């Protein structure tokens, strides 16, 4: 039995393929500032040209000292995801 995450990922991939079939790039990529590096490389690896437009998330939250620990944990989590994506050759 496939997990809900796997089903969601498969559905998203299929939807994206259908959506982009007749549209030429470059595409505007909007993602959180903390995820942009990884997201841009995933699209590049898929052969799509993107124009990155990071939404201020982590850097905006880091302005408040009370949120800095959570931002640090988010950055550490993103670094782990980057290593995982590299191990899977997704980037």
């Amino acid at each position: 039995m496939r997990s809900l995450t796997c089903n969601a990922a498969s559905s998203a991939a299929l939807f994206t393929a259908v959506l982009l079939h007749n549209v030429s790039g470059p595409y505007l990529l909007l993602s959180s500032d903390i995820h942009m590096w990884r997201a841009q490389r995933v699209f590049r690896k898929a052969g799509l040209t993107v124009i990155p437009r990071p939404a201020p998330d982590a850097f905006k939250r880091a302005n408040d000292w009370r949120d800095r620990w959570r931002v640090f944990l988010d950055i550490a989590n993103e670094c782990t995801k980057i290593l995982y994506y590299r191990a899977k050759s997704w980037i």
Side-chain angles (χ1 to χ4, degrees):
M1 178 178 220
R2 291 171 29 164
S3 69
L4 180 60
T5 303
C6 184
N7 289 337
S10 298
S11 297
L14 179 61
F15 176 76
T16 302
V18 170
L19 180 67
L20 299 178
H21 180 68
N22 292 323
V23 181
S24 63
Y27 303 98
L28 185 64
L29 176 60
L30 178 62
S31 184
S32 169
D33 53 7
I34 202 167
H35 305 290
M36 185 56 72
W37 190 90
R38 180 171 46 104
Q40 187 176 6
R41 277 146 186 84
V42 168
F43 277 87
R44 185 185 306 154
K45 179 97 178 196
L48 299 172
T49 304
V50 295
I51 301 168
R53 291 291 181 258
D57 177 32
F59 294 115
K60 188 176 182 180
R61 289 184 295 136
N63 287 329
D64 185 353
W65 66 270
R66 294 169 293 192
D67 288 335
R68 288 189 183 156
W69 179 249
R70 182 67 188 147
V71 172
F72 170 77
L73 293 176
D74 289 345
I75 291 170
N77 188 25
E78 183 63 21
C79 290
T80 303
K81 291 176 183 179
I82 289 169
L83 293 174
Y84 180 77
Y85 273 52
R86 282 197 177 170
K88 292 285 194 175
S89 297
W90 293 341
I91 58 173

